[in-house]
Amino acid sequence: MDNLEEILEGNGFEKELVAEIKNIGRSKRVSSGGVVVSADLGSEEIPLVLSGLLKLLRKDDQGNELFLYHLQSGETCAMSITCCLEGKTQDITVVAEEDSQLWMIPMHTVDRWIQRYKSFRKFVFRSYQERFDELLGALDGIAFLKMDERLMKYLLDLKQASGSFVIKKTHQEIAKELNTSRVVVSRLLKQLERDDKIEQHRNRIEIL
DNA sequence: TCATTAACACGGG
DNA sequence: CCCGTGTTAATGA
């Protein structure tokens, strides 16, 4: 809540706009693993991250997943914006990577604010560009990196985003997000351990 | 060559 | 015991 003020002012929003956002938005807490946005949920709101960490996953109709990027404090999900503006449902799901505090903003007011406030328009465009860059990074990983490099990139991204050297995930969960098999993840993690890049415990990976 | 699938043993919580 | 992990063998791209 206190964080909200900080984030809004950090974006150089007009006083009037800050007041509107505080009035119209609503606070939402989501615990780790909780779904924030999904195609079948048909959300009418976009999430602004106040604290914690969200992850954006691409999903197909057969239950396959692919991790795309994280949303950190102060960031919002541009995919949700297009999704709602175009009135389309996309196969993208936003899930809490950690317990997170969000500020949910109704879509129709986002539309209005973009037209009315220059600062908000800039905020949305910048968010767009940042997401786009992250998307390109994810695409590069898939196109150009081998699985072991992708895995290391994934671990480092997680370390950077969470600010923790410890990753509490099973090999199976990692395999799903990278859209590969657990056998491969286990084998590559074992190799990373031999190379002293990581340390492994049950349900827990430490990055060195 | 490297990924996937299935199958199995080990052992920690 | 249950489930996460490590490994192997067979098969495929």
Side-chain angles (χ1 to χ4, degrees):
Chain A
M1 226 63 62
D2 35 6
N3 202 3
L4 174 62
E5 194 113 17
E6 221 175 276
I7 287 171
L8 295 182
E9 286 174 4
N11 280 297
F13 289 162
E14 292 87 344
K15 281 234 162 52
E16 199 186 338
L17 174 58
V18 171
E20 275 206 71
I21 293 175
K22 284 165 75 176
N23 275 332
I24 293 174
R26 65 179 245 271
S27 172
K28 179 171 182 173
R29 232 195 116 272
V30 58
S31 46
S32 177
V35 176
V36 179
V37 176
S38 75
D40 34 77
L41 226 96
S43 174
E44 297 289 313
E45 299 168 302
I46 62 160
L48 173 65
V49 183
L50 299 183
S51 67
L53 185 66
L54 304 182
K55 64 183 167 188
L56 203 129
L57 303 171
R58 179 86 168 107
K59 291 200 169 182
D60 73 2
D61 46 8
Q62 290 161 44
N64 295 313
E65 291 184 1
L66 184 60
F67 167 79
L68 293 180
Y69 52 76
H70 282 121
L71 293 173
Q72 307 185 54
S73 172
E75 297 182 334
T76 191
C77 178
M79 294 300 167
S80 301
I81 294 174
T82 23
C83 174
C84 296
L85 284 181
E86 298 297 322
K88 286 179 188 166
T89 50
Q90 301 188 8
D91 295 313
I92 286 181
T93 304
V94 181
V95 179
E97 183 88 78
E98 303 169 354
D99 292 354
S100 302
Q101 192 70 45
L102 312 176
W103 193 255
M104 305 301 287
I105 303 171
M107 223 21 248
H108 63 275
T109 58
V110 167
D111 204 6
R112 204 181 76 230
W113 290 338
I114 287 174
Q115 294 174 45
R116 185 178 301 176
Y117 299 102
K118 189 179 170 194
S119 65
F120 197 73
R121 198 156 52 238
K122 278 172 76 176
F123 170 70
V124 170
F125 274 119
R126 188 165 48 77
S127 162
Y128 240 108
Q129 198 200 326
E130 284 169 4
R131 295 309 119 230
F132 192 80
D133 286 345
E134 301 234 40
L135 206 51
L136 280 183
L139 187 59
D140 282 349
I142 296 159
F144 305 129
L145 298 183
K146 291 190 207 163
M147 191 51 83
D148 56 343
E149 298 168 313
R150 269 185 75 197
L151 178 61
M152 198 61 213
K153 179 185 157 92
Y154 174 84
L155 294 176
L156 290 176
D157 183 294
L158 215 43
K159 187 196 84 172
Q160 190 271 331
S162 66
S164 164
F165 287 88
V166 178
I167 293 169
K168 284 178 184 163
K169 280 179 181 291
T170 66
H171 295 183
Q172 182 61 68
E173 288 169 331
I174 295 171
K176 188 156 195 194
E177 300 205 334
L178 292 179
N179 194 32
T180 183
S181 65
R182 184 194 61 81
V183 181
V184 171
V185 172
S186 291
R187 178 165 46 80
L188 296 179
L189 284 175
K190 197 69 198 164
Q191 187 58 49
L192 289 176
E193 192 177 31
R194 278 193 283 264
D195 294 344
D196 293 325
K197 302 262 180 61
I198 61 169
E199 213 170 86
Q200 288 197 86
H201 311 85
R202 193 183 176 82
N203 272 329
R204 181 167 150 251
I205 297 166
E206 190 167 342
I207 298 174
L208 304 177

Short mmCIF file of all heavy atoms in Angstrom, two decimals, chain A residues 140-183:
data_model
loop_
_atom_site.label_atom_id
_atom_site.label_comp_id
_atom_site.label_asym_id
_atom_site.label_seq_id
_atom_site.Cartn_x
_atom_site.Cartn_y
_atom_site.Cartn_z
N ASP A 140 15.47 -15.34 -28.13
CA ASP A 140 16.88 -15.64 -28.40
C ASP A 140 17.28 -16.94 -27.71
O ASP A 140 17.95 -17.78 -28.30
CB ASP A 140 17.78 -14.52 -27.88
CG ASP A 140 17.77 -13.32 -28.81
OD1 ASP A 140 17.24 -13.47 -29.93
OD2 ASP A 140 18.27 -12.27 -28.42
N GLY A 141 16.87 -17.05 -26.46
CA GLY A 141 17.21 -18.24 -25.69
C GLY A 141 16.73 -19.50 -26.37
O GLY A 141 17.46 -20.48 -26.49
N ILE A 142 15.50 -19.46 -26.81
CA ILE A 142 14.91 -20.64 -27.44
C ILE A 142 15.55 -20.92 -28.79
O ILE A 142 15.82 -22.07 -29.14
CB ILE A 142 13.39 -20.44 -27.62
CG1 ILE A 142 12.72 -20.31 -26.26
CG2 ILE A 142 12.79 -21.61 -28.39
CD1 ILE A 142 11.39 -19.63 -26.32
N ALA A 143 15.84 -19.85 -29.52
CA ALA A 143 16.33 -20.03 -30.89
C ALA A 143 17.81 -20.39 -30.93
O ALA A 143 18.23 -21.24 -31.71
CB ALA A 143 16.08 -18.75 -31.69
N PHE A 144 18.62 -19.75 -30.07
CA PHE A 144 20.06 -19.84 -30.24
C PHE A 144 20.80 -20.63 -29.17
O PHE A 144 21.94 -21.03 -29.38
CB PHE A 144 20.66 -18.43 -30.32
CG PHE A 144 20.05 -17.59 -31.40
CD1 PHE A 144 19.58 -16.32 -31.12
CD2 PHE A 144 19.93 -18.07 -32.71
CE1 PHE A 144 19.01 -15.53 -32.13
CE2 PHE A 144 19.36 -17.30 -33.71
CZ PHE A 144 18.90 -16.03 -33.42
N LEU A 145 20.18 -20.82 -28.02
CA LEU A 145 20.92 -21.48 -26.95
C LEU A 145 20.60 -22.96 -26.90
O LEU A 145 19.50 -23.40 -27.20
CB LEU A 145 20.57 -20.84 -25.61
CG LEU A 145 20.91 -19.36 -25.43
CD1 LEU A 145 20.56 -18.91 -24.02
CD2 LEU A 145 22.37 -19.08 -25.74
N LYS A 146 21.62 -23.73 -26.48
CA LYS A 146 21.37 -25.14 -26.23
C LYS A 146 20.71 -25.26 -24.87
O LYS A 146 20.71 -24.32 -24.08
CB LYS A 146 22.70 -25.90 -26.23
CG LYS A 146 23.34 -25.99 -27.60
CD LYS A 146 24.51 -26.96 -27.55
CE LYS A 146 25.54 -26.60 -28.61
NZ LYS A 146 26.83 -27.24 -28.34
N MET A 147 20.19 -26.43 -24.60
CA MET A 147 19.39 -26.59 -23.39
C MET A 147 20.19 -26.27 -22.13
O MET A 147 19.66 -25.67 -21.20
CB MET A 147 18.81 -28.00 -23.32
CG MET A 147 17.76 -28.15 -22.23
SD MET A 147 16.45 -26.91 -22.28
CE MET A 147 15.36 -27.61 -23.52
N ASP A 148 21.47 -26.64 -22.10
CA ASP A 148 22.25 -26.37 -20.88
C ASP A 148 22.42 -24.86 -20.67
O ASP A 148 22.36 -24.38 -19.56
CB ASP A 148 23.61 -27.08 -20.92
CG ASP A 148 24.44 -26.71 -22.15
OD1 ASP A 148 23.86 -26.18 -23.12
OD2 ASP A 148 25.65 -26.96 -22.12
N GLU A 149 22.57 -24.13 -21.78
CA GLU A 149 22.71 -22.68 -21.67
C GLU A 149 21.39 -22.03 -21.30
O GLU A 149 21.34 -21.08 -20.53
CB GLU A 149 23.21 -22.11 -23.01
CG GLU A 149 24.58 -22.63 -23.40
CD GLU A 149 24.93 -22.30 -24.85
OE1 GLU A 149 24.08 -22.51 -25.75
OE2 GLU A 149 26.05 -21.83 -25.07
N ARG A 150 20.34 -22.58 -21.86
CA ARG A 150 19.00 -22.07 -21.52
C ARG A 150 18.72 -22.25 -20.04
O ARG A 150 18.18 -21.37 -19.38
CB ARG A 150 17.93 -22.82 -22.32
CG ARG A 150 17.57 -22.20 -23.63
CD ARG A 150 16.43 -22.95 -24.28
NE ARG A 150 15.15 -22.69 -23.67
CZ ARG A 150 14.06 -23.43 -23.82
NH1 ARG A 150 14.11 -24.50 -24.56
NH2 ARG A 150 12.94 -23.09 -23.24
N LEU A 151 19.10 -23.43 -19.53
CA LEU A 151 18.87 -23.74 -18.13
C LEU A 151 19.62 -22.77 -17.23
O LEU A 151 19.07 -22.24 -16.27
CB LEU A 151 19.29 -25.18 -17.83
CG LEU A 151 19.16 -25.66 -16.40
CD1 LEU A 151 17.70 -25.59 -15.93
CD2 LEU A 151 19.68 -27.08 -16.25
N MET A 152 20.88 -22.52 -17.57
CA MET A 152 21.70 -21.60 -16.78
C MET A 152 21.11 -20.19 -16.84
O MET A 152 21.03 -19.51 -15.81
CB MET A 152 23.14 -21.61 -17.31
CG MET A 152 24.15 -21.05 -16.33
SD MET A 152 24.21 -22.00 -14.78
CE MET A 152 24.59 -20.70 -13.59
N LYS A 153 20.69 -19.78 -18.01
CA LYS A 153 20.05 -18.47 -18.18
C LYS A 153 18.79 -18.38 -17.32
O LYS A 153 18.54 -17.36 -16.68
CB LYS A 153 19.70 -18.28 -19.66
CG LYS A 153 19.00 -16.98 -20.03
CD LYS A 153 18.62 -17.02 -21.52
CE LYS A 153 17.49 -16.10 -21.88
NZ LYS A 153 17.93 -14.78 -22.31
N TYR A 154 18.04 -19.47 -17.33
CA TYR A 154 16.81 -19.53 -16.53
C TYR A 154 17.11 -19.38 -15.04
O TYR A 154 16.47 -18.61 -14.32
CB TYR A 154 16.12 -20.87 -16.80
CG TYR A 154 14.92 -21.16 -15.95
CD1 TYR A 154 13.66 -20.68 -16.30
CD2 TYR A 154 15.02 -21.95 -14.82
CE1 TYR A 154 12.55 -20.95 -15.53
CE2 TYR A 154 13.91 -22.24 -14.04
CZ TYR A 154 12.68 -21.74 -14.39
OH TYR A 154 11.59 -22.01 -13.61
N LEU A 155 18.13 -20.09 -14.58
CA LEU A 155 18.50 -20.03 -13.17
C LEU A 155 18.99 -18.63 -12.79
O LEU A 155 18.64 -18.11 -11.73
CB LEU A 155 19.59 -21.06 -12.86
CG LEU A 155 19.19 -22.53 -12.99
CD1 LEU A 155 20.40 -23.43 -12.75
CD2 LEU A 155 18.08 -22.88 -12.01
N LEU A 156 19.80 -18.04 -13.66
CA LEU A 156 20.34 -16.72 -13.38
C LEU A 156 19.23 -15.67 -13.37
O LEU A 156 19.23 -14.75 -12.55
CB LEU A 156 21.41 -16.35 -14.41
CG LEU A 156 22.71 -17.16 -14.29
CD1 LEU A 156 23.68 -16.82 -15.42
CD2 LEU A 156 23.37 -16.93 -12.93
N ASP A 157 18.29 -15.81 -14.29
CA ASP A 157 17.15 -14.90 -14.33
C ASP A 157 16.36 -14.98 -13.02
O ASP A 157 15.99 -13.97 -12.44
CB ASP A 157 16.24 -15.27 -15.51
CG ASP A 157 15.07 -14.32 -15.65
OD1 ASP A 157 14.20 -14.29 -14.75
OD2 ASP A 157 15.04 -13.59 -16.65
N LEU A 158 16.18 -16.20 -12.55
CA LEU A 158 15.44 -16.43 -11.32
C LEU A 158 16.19 -15.83 -10.13
O LEU A 158 15.60 -15.22 -9.24
CB LEU A 158 15.25 -17.94 -11.12
CG LEU A 158 13.97 -18.44 -10.49
CD1 LEU A 158 12.75 -17.71 -11.03
CD2 LEU A 158 13.84 -19.92 -10.74
N LYS A 159 17.51 -15.99 -10.15
CA LYS A 159 18.33 -15.42 -9.09
C LYS A 159 18.21 -13.90 -9.08
O LYS A 159 17.96 -13.29 -8.06
CB LYS A 159 19.80 -15.82 -9.29
CG LYS A 159 20.70 -15.41 -8.13
CD LYS A 159 22.17 -15.45 -8.50
CE LYS A 159 22.58 -14.17 -9.21
NZ LYS A 159 24.03 -14.09 -9.42
N GLN A 160 18.34 -13.33 -10.26
CA GLN A 160 18.28 -11.87 -10.39
C GLN A 160 16.91 -11.33 -9.97
O GLN A 160 16.81 -10.37 -9.23
CB GLN A 160 18.60 -11.49 -11.85
CG GLN A 160 18.82 -10.01 -12.09
CD GLN A 160 17.53 -9.29 -12.41
OE1 GLN A 160 16.62 -9.88 -12.96
NE2 GLN A 160 17.46 -8.02 -12.05
N ALA A 161 15.86 -12.00 -10.45
CA ALA A 161 14.50 -11.51 -10.21
C ALA A 161 14.08 -11.65 -8.76
O ALA A 161 13.38 -10.81 -8.22
CB ALA A 161 13.52 -12.23 -11.13
N SER A 162 14.51 -12.73 -8.13
CA SER A 162 14.09 -12.99 -6.76
C SER A 162 15.07 -12.40 -5.75
O SER A 162 14.75 -12.25 -4.58
CB SER A 162 13.96 -14.49 -6.52
OG SER A 162 15.24 -15.11 -6.60
N GLY A 163 16.27 -12.06 -6.23
CA GLY A 163 17.28 -11.53 -5.34
C GLY A 163 17.77 -12.57 -4.35
O GLY A 163 18.26 -12.24 -3.28
N SER A 164 17.61 -13.84 -4.72
CA SER A 164 18.04 -14.91 -3.83
C SER A 164 18.86 -15.94 -4.59
O SER A 164 18.58 -16.24 -5.75
CB SER A 164 16.81 -15.59 -3.22
OG SER A 164 17.16 -16.83 -2.67
N PHE A 165 19.86 -16.46 -3.94
CA PHE A 165 20.70 -17.48 -4.56
C PHE A 165 20.04 -18.86 -4.48
O PHE A 165 20.50 -19.80 -5.08
CB PHE A 165 22.08 -17.52 -3.88
CG PHE A 165 22.94 -16.34 -4.22
CD1 PHE A 165 22.87 -15.17 -3.47
CD2 PHE A 165 23.82 -16.40 -5.29
CE1 PHE A 165 23.65 -14.08 -3.80
CE2 PHE A 165 24.62 -15.31 -5.62
CZ PHE A 165 24.53 -14.14 -4.87
N VAL A 166 19.00 -18.93 -3.69
CA VAL A 166 18.34 -20.22 -3.48
C VAL A 166 17.05 -20.31 -4.29
O VAL A 166 16.19 -19.43 -4.21
CB VAL A 166 18.01 -20.43 -1.98
CG1 VAL A 166 17.28 -21.74 -1.77
CG2 VAL A 166 19.30 -20.40 -1.17
N ILE A 167 16.94 -21.35 -5.08
CA ILE A 167 15.76 -21.56 -5.90
C ILE A 167 15.02 -22.79 -5.41
O ILE A 167 15.57 -23.89 -5.39
CB ILE A 167 16.17 -21.74 -7.37
CG1 ILE A 167 16.76 -20.43 -7.90
CG2 ILE A 167 14.98 -22.18 -8.22
CD1 ILE A 167 17.43 -20.57 -9.24
N LYS A 168 13.77 -22.59 -5.00
CA LYS A 168 13.00 -23.71 -4.47
C LYS A 168 12.07 -24.24 -5.54
O LYS A 168 10.91 -23.89 -5.61
CB LYS A 168 12.22 -23.26 -3.24
CG LYS A 168 13.09 -23.13 -2.01
CD LYS A 168 12.32 -22.63 -0.80
CE LYS A 168 13.27 -22.43 0.38
NZ LYS A 168 12.69 -21.59 1.44
N LYS A 169 12.62 -25.08 -6.37
CA LYS A 169 11.84 -25.68 -7.44
C LYS A 169 12.30 -27.11 -7.64
O LYS A 169 13.46 -27.43 -7.42
CB LYS A 169 12.05 -24.91 -8.75
CG LYS A 169 11.25 -23.63 -8.88
CD LYS A 169 11.58 -22.98 -10.21
CE LYS A 169 10.84 -21.68 -10.42
NZ LYS A 169 9.40 -21.88 -10.62
N THR A 170 11.38 -27.95 -8.11
CA THR A 170 11.78 -29.31 -8.44
C THR A 170 12.24 -29.36 -9.89
O THR A 170 11.93 -28.46 -10.68
CB THR A 170 10.60 -30.29 -8.28
OG1 THR A 170 9.60 -29.97 -9.26
CG2 THR A 170 9.99 -30.21 -6.90
N HIS A 171 12.97 -30.41 -10.22
CA HIS A 171 13.44 -30.58 -11.59
C HIS A 171 12.25 -30.63 -12.55
O HIS A 171 12.30 -30.11 -13.66
CB HIS A 171 14.26 -31.87 -11.71
CG HIS A 171 15.54 -31.84 -10.92
ND1 HIS A 171 16.44 -32.87 -10.94
CD2 HIS A 171 16.05 -30.89 -10.10
CE1 HIS A 171 17.47 -32.56 -10.16
NE2 HIS A 171 17.25 -31.37 -9.63
N GLN A 172 11.18 -31.25 -12.08
CA GLN A 172 9.97 -31.38 -12.90
C GLN A 172 9.37 -30.01 -13.23
O GLN A 172 8.98 -29.76 -14.37
CB GLN A 172 8.94 -32.25 -12.16
CG GLN A 172 7.66 -32.47 -12.94
CD GLN A 172 7.90 -33.19 -14.26
OE1 GLN A 172 8.26 -34.35 -14.28
NE2 GLN A 172 7.72 -32.48 -15.37
N GLU A 173 9.32 -29.14 -12.25
CA GLU A 173 8.75 -27.80 -12.47
C GLU A 173 9.60 -27.01 -13.46
O GLU A 173 9.08 -26.33 -14.36
CB GLU A 173 8.66 -27.04 -11.14
CG GLU A 173 7.58 -27.57 -10.21
CD GLU A 173 7.66 -27.00 -8.80
OE1 GLU A 173 8.78 -26.66 -8.34
OE2 GLU A 173 6.62 -26.91 -8.16
N ILE A 174 10.92 -27.11 -13.30
CA ILE A 174 11.82 -26.41 -14.21
C ILE A 174 11.66 -26.96 -15.62
O ILE A 174 11.56 -26.20 -16.59
CB ILE A 174 13.29 -26.58 -13.74
CG1 ILE A 174 13.48 -25.88 -12.40
CG2 ILE A 174 14.25 -26.00 -14.78
CD1 ILE A 174 14.83 -26.16 -11.74
N ALA A 175 11.59 -28.29 -15.72
CA ALA A 175 11.41 -28.93 -17.03
C ALA A 175 10.16 -28.42 -17.72
O ALA A 175 10.16 -28.15 -18.92
CB ALA A 175 11.36 -30.44 -16.87
N LYS A 176 9.10 -28.26 -16.96
CA LYS A 176 7.83 -27.82 -17.55
C LYS A 176 7.96 -26.40 -18.08
O LYS A 176 7.50 -26.10 -19.19
CB LYS A 176 6.71 -27.91 -16.51
CG LYS A 176 5.34 -27.65 -17.10
CD LYS A 176 4.24 -28.29 -16.29
CE LYS A 176 2.94 -28.32 -17.12
NZ LYS A 176 1.75 -28.61 -16.31
N GLU A 177 8.58 -25.52 -17.31
CA GLU A 177 8.69 -24.13 -17.74
C GLU A 177 9.63 -23.97 -18.93
O GLU A 177 9.50 -23.04 -19.72
CB GLU A 177 9.16 -23.25 -16.57
CG GLU A 177 8.19 -23.31 -15.40
CD GLU A 177 8.24 -22.08 -14.52
OE1 GLU A 177 9.28 -21.41 -14.48
OE2 GLU A 177 7.20 -21.80 -13.88
N LEU A 178 10.58 -24.86 -19.05
CA LEU A 178 11.50 -24.80 -20.20
C LEU A 178 10.98 -25.67 -21.34
O LEU A 178 11.59 -25.74 -22.41
CB LEU A 178 12.90 -25.26 -19.79
CG LEU A 178 13.64 -24.35 -18.82
CD1 LEU A 178 15.01 -24.93 -18.46
CD2 LEU A 178 13.81 -22.96 -19.41
N ASN A 179 9.86 -26.33 -21.09
CA ASN A 179 9.24 -27.20 -22.08
C ASN A 179 10.20 -28.31 -22.54
O ASN A 179 10.41 -28.52 -23.73
CB ASN A 179 8.75 -26.39 -23.29
CG ASN A 179 7.80 -27.18 -24.17
OD1 ASN A 179 7.06 -28.03 -23.67
ND2 ASN A 179 7.83 -26.93 -25.46
N THR A 180 10.78 -28.98 -21.56
CA THR A 180 11.63 -30.12 -21.86
C THR A 180 11.33 -31.22 -20.83
O THR A 180 10.38 -31.10 -20.07
CB THR A 180 13.12 -29.73 -21.84
OG1 THR A 180 13.91 -30.84 -22.21
CG2 THR A 180 13.54 -29.24 -20.47
N SER A 181 12.12 -32.27 -20.83
CA SER A 181 11.82 -33.38 -19.91
C SER A 181 12.67 -33.29 -18.65
O SER A 181 13.72 -32.67 -18.63
CB SER A 181 12.07 -34.72 -20.61
OG SER A 181 13.45 -34.85 -20.91
N ARG A 182 12.18 -33.95 -17.62
CA ARG A 182 12.90 -33.89 -16.35
C ARG A 182 14.26 -34.58 -16.44
O ARG A 182 15.22 -34.15 -15.81
CB ARG A 182 12.07 -34.55 -15.24
CG ARG A 182 12.71 -34.44 -13.88
CD ARG A 182 12.11 -35.34 -12.85
NE ARG A 182 12.20 -36.74 -13.16
CZ ARG A 182 13.29 -37.48 -12.95
NH1 ARG A 182 14.39 -36.93 -12.46
NH2 ARG A 182 13.30 -38.75 -13.25
N VAL A 183 14.34 -35.64 -17.22
CA VAL A 183 15.60 -36.35 -17.39
C VAL A 183 16.70 -35.39 -17.82
O VAL A 183 17.81 -35.42 -17.28
CB VAL A 183 15.46 -37.47 -18.45
CG1 VAL A 183 16.77 -38.21 -18.60
CG2 VAL A 183 14.36 -38.40 -18.07
#
